[in-house]
Amino acid sequence: MTVHGALMCARNVTPHIDVPIVLFSYFNPLLQFGPEPFGPAAIQAGIDAVLVTDLIPEEAESWTQNLLQHRLDPIFLVAPTTSEKRLARIAHQAHGFIYAVSRAGVTGTRDEMTRDADALVKRVRSVSDSPIAVGFGISSPEQVRAVWRFADAAVVGSAIVKQIEKLGDSPDLVKDIGEFARSLVAET
């Protein structure tokens, strides 16, 4: 996948949905695309916010200003290991929402949620009024409901990718992934 390809996908889907789209990327592909042309291209594609997973807030000022100039929300990650000083800086620079990483380590589905996420959300709320989304390892309806008890949103990524891999080239891929996503928020 390329930035151009992701923007083309977003442009194709935005006429059919009414939810905001957050582009997740590493910084290098965005630099290769070009910081100046990225803003207008992202807006034209229907992107609402951008999370650059490897761009630290201490080095993001010009990138953040470029996004804001084009009415794109810069999203930043916070983790259980984030210091109070850095948390305040991130809260100041973030727009749209703050992405709270539920635990230290790498992403991927997990069988249980950690208590670190709840404590981290409380810390973020002490320095920010922005909505907080919790992600990393959320893969079941029970985990989504658990996150909703203390955060504004639950981010499910790896579990959806796993479903896509399982379904392969199924002609019903989009329908089946939609059903899987709806099952995560269904009342039991």
Side-chain angles (χ1 to χ4, degrees):
M1 178 56 75
T2 64
V3 174
H4 176 74
L7 295 176
M8 187 173 64
C9 287
R11 190 170 23 270
N12 290 336
V13 76
T14 52
H16 308 286
I17 63 171
D18 62 356
V19 295
I21 296 179
V22 179
L23 178 72
F24 279 44
S25 180
Y26 292 105
F27 197 41
N28 193 42
L30 298 172
L31 284 175
Q32 289 177 354
F33 189 91
E36 291 306 318
F38 175 76
I43 286 295
Q44 184 180 21
I47 301 294
D48 297 283
V50 181
L51 187 150
V52 184
T53 57
D54 61 344
L55 181 61
I56 60 173
E58 292 82 359
E59 296 176 1
E61 189 171 334
S62 65
W63 174 255
T64 298
Q65 292 308 314
N66 188 26
L67 292 179
L68 292 171
Q69 181 181 26
H70 293 97
R71 298 178 316 280
L72 294 162
D73 287 330
I75 309 298
F76 288 98
L77 297 166
V78 297
T81 56
T82 302
S83 71
E84 298 308 315
K85 181 179 178 180
R86 194 157 197 256
L87 191 63
R89 181 179 193 144
I90 290 168
H92 177 73
Q93 284 183 255
H95 293 262
F97 68 92
I98 295 172
Y99 188 129
V101 176
S102 64
R103 59 184 162 68
V106 297
T107 189
T109 60
R110 296 290 185 268
D111 291 333
E112 63 182 58
M113 283 297 302
T114 174
R115 282 181 246 127
D116 290 346
D118 187 14
L120 177 57
V121 169
K122 287 177 182 164
R123 289 177 53 216
V124 174
R125 291 205 193 282
S126 74
V127 295
S128 176
D129 293 331
S130 293
I132 304 166
V134 172
F136 269 47
I138 299 170
S139 59
S140 71
E142 296 78 22
Q143 291 171 337
V144 169
R145 282 192 298 279
V147 166
W148 283 351
R149 285 187 211 115
F150 58 86
D152 302 297
V155 179
V156 179
S158 295
I160 291 173
V161 170
K162 193 175 190 178
Q163 288 295 314
I164 291 169
E165 289 172 347
K166 187 168 95 175
L167 294 167
D169 292 332
S170 167
D172 296 324
L173 178 68
V174 173
K175 179 180 81 63
D176 291 343
I177 294 301
E179 288 174 9
F180 174 72
R182 284 186 291 282
S183 78
L184 295 170
V185 297
E187 293 295 322
T188 58

